[in-house]
Amino acid sequence: MSIFASFSPIAAIATTSPAISILQPLCQTIGATLYIKDSLIPLENTHAYQGSLKDHLATIWEQNNAFIFCLAMGAVVRLIATLLGHKSTDPAIIVVDPSGQFVISLCSGHEGGADRLTQLIAHQLNATPIITSASTNLSIPGIDILGKPFGWVKGPGNWTAVSHAIACGETVQVIQESGSTLWQHNLPESHSFYFGWPEISEEINPKARIWISSTLRRFSPDSDLPKIQWYPRVLWVGIGCIRGTSQSLIEKAIKQVYQQYHLATESIAGIATIDIKADEIGLVKYCEVKELPLLTFSGDVLKMVEVPNPSDVVKQEVGTPSVAEAAAIYAATIKSSESVSSLPSLLVPKQIIKSEEEIGTVTVAIAKSNIEYTGKIGQLYLVGMGPGSLDQITPAAKTAITQADAIIGYSLYLDLIKPLKRPGQIIEALPITQERKRAQRAIELAQWGLTVAVISSGDCGIYGMGGLVLEELQNQGWDGNIPQIEVFPGITALQAAAARVGTPLMHDFCAISLSDLLTPWTVIEKRLEAAAKGDFVTAIYNPRSQTRTEQISHAQRIFLAYRNETTPIALVRSAYRKDEKIILTNLTEMLNFTIDMLTIVLIGNSSTRHYEQWMITPRGYLGFD
Ligand code: SAH
């Protein structure tokens, strides 16, 4: 499953046969390598190790991002004790108890991702996750992983002390000057963050401070207020340079300008220049080493950008009066978001830097985009959450929901999946009428680099959000790959309803939605006619809403033309939800009962029958077999 790709390579360790039977199927699903002791019977897809496990671990420690042990926790602690270094570099360590009931996040819960991986594995094993991080238990995102979804870079500070202040519920001042504020929208009411500026800090007496900014803050060593800084990558650096300028001069020039303007180089989103510089070796190398994108624009594009310092000389040489300023502004503009109100701006006008020791000249300008560059390829999970209760969601769908950075769906469904949510997730509920908007928003977030789960009830590809998202992507000229898509099937309403009344779908069946908001009634009518005539068992979705009240009686009339008056009907409302209601009736009497938006209507075929509280469609038309 691609969900686990961000954790891989993952190693799993089993020293007993019961442990193998728990870990082997898990490893297959999540793409982990299973190591077993060589004295155990070797199985497919397992790697046998010889000698002591301690020695073996030492040899595979460096190349794995996560370890899953199915062993006593004490044994695991002793095994890894000498291998642990620092929480920023150690792998995630997870322990599954030998009966497979509990999954424990042992080490590197935040930065190593063990807490998250523990939850995902617990979904896979239908086990209870055990997470002891303070932030998880307060339902707030860990401060040391807060900016991860947005690609922020961790800056200096006393991270342990700030985390401690948050865990103790002390007032922690947050000064956010740039980067997305989406993380603030779903904090629990009990959080102790204070969002405000330093002037008023005395009144609120904060015990710690968080800076989220592209400005370089020099924390005074003698202040005892613990502080940390995150750097959102919002700054686009426009570069102009003469042919052959060295990588080191480019680096020196950027550093110098950043220092002069008190900006953090960690906040660089990327480099922008004119297309004829796309093969400028020093520049290309600089971007490679720093892992920065290099955006290049044609002179025709750049000359349209208004800049404060145009130059005739530059215009004569390359056909645009500005390279650095224009490229910086243009990059910041195209990388800005329309849904954020602030506009991109030129922060640093062009600076020309030369060096006595080296050949070349570098022009640097810096523009700020209104949204950070995440540096990530976004993903869209199209998730079917089944009819309503948590135990009817597939483990894969649960895993996708918990893993996503953002969850988008209709509020009723988001309430139903509350227990799967993780602190720090962005939750966006839009009303049922705004499905297209929901799809567009999901795409926007995924194109920006987030992993977004779009939730539908039942199956997301059956009258669900899945189709809307793919349709919308196609309209936008999607290349089929970015953002990446994964579809997670769910139990659709017709299966859920059928299960509650027995086996009505035992023979050929079809589904028809009576919603004529997007489908002409004539088409729906034609299908009802065909289904009735063809003697299909028929599941009617969207049978009636507050405004669409007549369609269900039309459907009844059409079926009465071809089927017996006593044809069995099941009206299943809110299957598998708290207010579930089931009525067994027949074709003539069906309209005497409540049928609404939450109801699905199952119409039997000519051999379907009611038996006690059950609805049975025989397997064949020849009678029971
Ligand atoms: N994607 C969903 C269908 C959405 S259309 C799925 O695959 O099930 C909405 C219609 O589905 C409702 O009007 C109702 O007819 C039906 N429906 C969805 N969930 C239901 C449930 N739990 N019980 C009964 N009907 C349901």
Side-chain angles (χ1 to χ4, degrees):
M1 215 189 287
S2 70
I3 291 178
F4 291 91
S6 60
F7 297 95
S8 73
I10 306 174
I13 318 284
T15 56
T16 63
S17 305
I20 295 180
S21 38
I22 293 174
L23 291 187
Q24 198 198 18
L26 175 75
C27 288
Q28 227 146 32
T29 315
I30 70 175
T33 308
L34 179 56
Y35 294 93
I36 63 169
K37 205 167 167 46
D38 62 353
S39 55
L40 295 166
I41 300 159
L43 283 169
E44 221 184 308
N45 297 323
T46 57
H47 294 244
Y49 67 85
Q50 293 165 346
S52 89
L53 177 52
K54 201 166 193 167
D55 292 344
H56 179 62
L57 277 179
T59 64
I60 58 170
W61 186 255
E62 291 293 331
Q63 72 245 30
N64 284 289
N65 283 331
F67 286 84
I68 304 168
F69 293 88
C70 190
L71 258 181
M73 199 155 79
V76 177
V77 170
R78 287 176 206 289
L79 280 165
I80 62 167
T82 55
L83 295 167
L84 291 173
H86 189 265
K87 63 179 179 181
S88 60
T89 50
D90 284 335
I93 307 291
I94 286 163
V95 182
V96 178
D97 80 299
S99 66
Q101 287 183 66
F102 300 101
V103 185
I104 304 157
S105 171
L106 185 65
C107 264
S108 305
H110 285 178
E111 286 176 77
D115 288 355
R116 171 107 58 114
L117 188 55
T118 293
Q119 276 178 293
L120 305 184
I121 290 174
H123 288 324
Q124 294 292 320
L125 297 177
N126 199 16
T128 306
I130 302 200
I131 293 166
T132 52
S133 308
S135 56
T136 304
N137 292 296
L138 291 169
S139 295
I140 44 184
I143 206 63
D144 49 352
I145 46 173
L146 185 71
K148 259 190 152 183
F150 314 111
W152 300 352
V153 178
K154 254 179 103 177
N158 188 344
W159 293 84
T160 310
V162 174
S163 300
H164 182 71
I166 296 169
C168 293
E170 315 255 38
T171 303
V172 174
Q173 184 177 24
V174 178
I175 299 164
Q176 180 160 11
E177 296 172 326
S178 49
S180 171
T181 55
L182 283 173
W183 68 275
Q184 299 176 11
H185 298 179
N186 299 102
L187 293 169
E189 273 177 25
S190 57
H191 76 80
S192 60
F193 294 121
Y194 176 84
F195 297 98
W197 291 90
E199 304 87 78
I200 36 162
S201 58
E202 271 171 27
E203 276 165 53
I204 58 154
N205 190 19
K207 294 289 181 286
R209 185 173 293 149
I210 298 168
W211 285 95
I212 303 168
S213 164
S214 51
T215 305
L216 204 58
R217 301 272 156 207
R218 296 231 177 273
F219 297 150
S220 132
D222 28 275
S223 149
D224 51 7
L225 188 70
K227 301 173 210 76
I228 52 165
Q229 178 157 14
W230 275 106
Y231 299 119
R233 297 176 60 188
V234 286
L235 304 180
W236 288 92
V237 183
I239 295 279
C241 62
I242 61 164
R243 250 303 148 219
T245 303
S246 73
Q247 179 192 344
S248 71
L249 184 59
I250 292 168
E251 181 165 359
K252 217 185 291 170
I254 293 175
K255 226 184 199 164
Q256 190 181 318
V257 173
Y258 267 74
Q259 254 163 15
Q260 197 182 332
Y261 283 82
H262 304 289
L263 296 169
T265 47
E266 289 87 343
S267 294
I268 300 178
I271 307 293
T273 188
I274 189 163
D275 54 5
I276 50 174
K277 294 280 162 203
D279 59 353
E280 185 67 50
I281 295 169
L283 197 55
V284 171
K285 274 259 151 53
Y286 173 79
C287 290
E288 245 172 51
V289 171
K290 301 281 177 187
E291 294 183 26
L292 293 171
L294 176 61
L295 305 188
T296 57
F297 309 111
S298 71
D300 283 346
V301 165
L302 294 181
K303 73 178 181 204
M304 307 302 287
V305 181
E306 237 178 86
V307 294
N309 302 297
S311 147
D312 282 340
V313 181
V314 176
K315 188 175 176 187
Q316 267 175 9
E317 270 175 33
V318 291
T320 164
S322 165
V323 171
E325 287 181 349
I329 295 172
Y330 193 71
T333 308
I334 58 168
K335 293 292 181 180
S336 281
S337 161
E338 281 170 21
S339 48
V340 178
S341 57
S342 61
L343 291 172
S345 58
L346 187 71
L347 226 53
V348 177
K350 77 172 178 191
Q351 311 286 308
I352 301 169
I353 287 114
K354 290 184 187 175
S355 159
E356 308 225 314
E357 303 104 58
E358 294 189 55
I359 49 150
T361 308
V362 187
T363 311
V364 179
I366 304 172
K368 187 175 173 180
S369 134
N370 70 6
I371 193 166
E372 58 274 51
Y373 172 74
T374 64
K376 294 190 299 174
I377 291 176
Q379 308 210 42
L380 274 165
Y381 297 153
L382 308 181
V383 185
M385 53 159 277
S389 70
L390 280 183
D391 62 349
Q392 300 295 331
I393 307 185
T394 67
K398 283 186 186 173
T399 311
I401 292 169
T402 303
Q403 164 69 353
D405 298 318
I407 304 178
I408 292 188
Y410 168 46
S411 46
L412 169 70
Y413 307 147
L414 295 183
D415 282 347
L416 293 168
I417 52 146
K418 233 185 210 150
L420 303 176
K421 291 184 202 161
R422 193 169 47 73
Q425 273 177 316
I426 299 159
I427 314 287
E428 294 196 359
L430 286 169
I432 200 151
T433 47
Q434 299 193 2
E435 285 168 328
R436 199 161 285 278
K437 270 216 177 106
R438 236 184 283 164
Q440 284 162 348
R441 176 65 176 156
I443 292 169
E444 182 189 15
L445 292 177
Q447 274 165 344
W448 181 41
L450 299 192
T451 297
V452 185
V454 182
I455 315 283
S456 273
S457 75
D459 186 275
C460 65
I462 299 179
Y463 312 119
M465 288 294 302
L468 268 181
V469 170
L470 286 186
E471 231 181 86
E472 196 60 35
L473 275 170
Q474 192 193 356
N475 289 344
Q476 296 183 13
W478 180 50
D479 69 353
N481 295 311
I482 296 175
Q484 295 169 347
I485 296 276
E486 191 159 345
V487 186
F488 295 82
I491 296 173
T492 185
L494 70 81
Q495 286 171 286
R500 301 301 287 136
V501 295
T503 56
L505 304 177
M506 198 63 201
H507 213 278
D508 303 342
F509 65 89
C510 65
I512 299 176
S513 165
L514 294 196
S515 172
D516 57 355
L517 294 177
L518 301 171
T519 310
W521 177 250
T522 46
V523 173
I524 300 171
E525 209 170 25
K526 212 159 75 188
R527 296 197 178 160
L528 287 167
E529 191 90 29
K533 202 166 160 185
D535 203 32
F536 284 95
V537 177
T538 306
I540 308 273
Y541 283 73
N542 300 304
R544 182 191 268 155
S545 73
Q546 272 165 353
T547 49
R548 285 185 305 101
T549 53
E550 287 312 308
Q551 284 86 344
I552 188 70
S553 22
H554 287 308
Q556 181 198 34
R557 249 177 277 137
I558 293 170
F559 272 82
L560 277 171
Y562 297 94
R563 307 238 177 130
N564 260 333
E565 290 181 354
T566 54
T567 301
I569 300 275
L571 306 176
V572 182
R573 185 176 191 278
S574 294
Y576 291 94
R577 295 183 196 155
K578 263 207 312 267
D579 46 353
E580 175 186 276
K581 195 151 191 216
I582 298 169
I583 289 160
L584 294 184
T585 173
N586 63 42
L587 199 51
T588 345
E589 288 166 19
M590 60 183 269
L591 297 183
N592 299 340
F593 304 92
T594 307
I595 295 178
D596 61 9
M597 286 262 285
L598 300 175
T599 311
I600 185 159
V601 179
L602 299 179
I603 305 174
N605 67 17
S606 57
S607 58
T608 303
R609 60 207 71 167
H610 286 320
Y611 176 76
E612 302 294 345
Q613 71 275 36
W614 302 104
M615 184 166 172
I616 304 166
T617 299
R619 235 174 83 174
Y621 276 72
L622 307 172
F624 291 112
D625 60 2

